[in-house]
Amino acid sequence: MPVRHRTLGLLAIPALVLGAVLPASAAHAAPATGAHTTGAHTTGPGTATLRPDAAAAGWLARQLVNGDHFESVFDGTAYPDQGLTIDAVLAFAAAGGSDQAAARATAWLARPEILAGYLGDGTTEAYAGATAKLLLAAEVRGENPNAFGGVDLPARLRSLLSASGRFSDRSQWGDYSNAFGQSLALISLQRTPEGAPAAAVDFLAGTQCADGGFPVAFGQATCTADPDATALAAQALAATGRTAKAQAGLGWLTAHQNADGGFAAAGAAASNANSTGLATEALLSAGHLVPGLKGWGRLVKFQQGCSAAPALRGAVAYDATGFNAATGVRATAQAVLGLSGKGLAALTAHGARPADPVLACPAR
């Protein structure tokens, strides 16, 4: 999962417990009037919401290019960004909304030319991390993963399992597989009838550093833990029954939480929304409520509230320096995971509301 290319303070509780303290009429208020136009997609009237995760997901949906995907720009040229589009699909499911946008994005991902550009051709080129991530998105959306866009995603992913238990790329450009892809592979394959291969679970468990965290890259001379990798690995190992390893990873996250409740990228000091979103999701979904709620509170402070311009309300800034359009989409997508508190292992789009919510703000 990409991570670095990756106010509402009165509601100091995540979405997973919001329903217990707010009536439905407060969590999703009356429909907002008027159309909302941001980015390259126009939506009709949205539903006003007090929930930070729903507001963030609604803003994210309104940024989709042509209403169905995201792009990244390099040297002035825009390229389809399948990974970021999948991040959005997962965010919509976590927030339980924007289901129409998620359906359009899923259909875009299933287009043959989009699939091939992301997964490789399956013969000379096949990428483990991308295949694992797309498999998870297909499962979350309730699609048939054995025939997604004509590709058997579980079979292709299993074909990339090496004798060591590592899911590796098959490519003329080299093997860039890492802990993100390995963790997503375990999470997504555990959701299949065959489950995750034991050798792959053993491999990820064996990469744990002595301090309990997990590194991004495999085979380094010095094991250096990374918060993003640790958050995903903890979820993967918990899903596959390695409770002790998962708890050690969560303990590492708690020990490396900043005083403001957030989490910093490896080697950095300042909290960012991407790392905080992934770590908070891992903590809350595992029941570690004290550090999880601290992380949730940090994410809410990154979110653009009613004092922001209407087009930005609900978006999440990458860090405390303020909202930046270059990083805001990815930061918002990964922040939603923490704001919802729903783990990837059981994430589902079932029952998601169709509309793209807007942040409920008092009339001026």
Side-chain angles (χ1 to χ4, degrees), residues 226-228 230-232 234 248-258 263 278-280 282-283 291:
D226 174 272
D228 306 85
T230 300
L232 288 175
L250 295 171
W252 183 92
L253 286 175
T254 301
H256 289 79
Q257 189 169 27
N258 285 341
F263 293 83
L278 294 178
T280 299
L283 290 164

Side-chain angles (χ1 to χ4, degrees), residues 14 38 61 68 71 95 100 132 136 144 163-164 167 178 195 210 214-216 225 227 230 314 323 325 330:
T38 55
D68 62 7
E71 295 176 343
Q100 291 178 341
L136 177 61
N144 179 3
S164 68
F167 287 97
N178 58 28
F214 288 82
V216 175
T230 300
F323 184 81
R330 199 177 305 277

Side-chain angles (χ1 to χ4, degrees), residues 266-284:
S271 298
N272 72 76
N274 298 53
S275 297
T276 303
L278 294 178
T280 299
E281 175 192 34
L283 290 164
L284 287 176

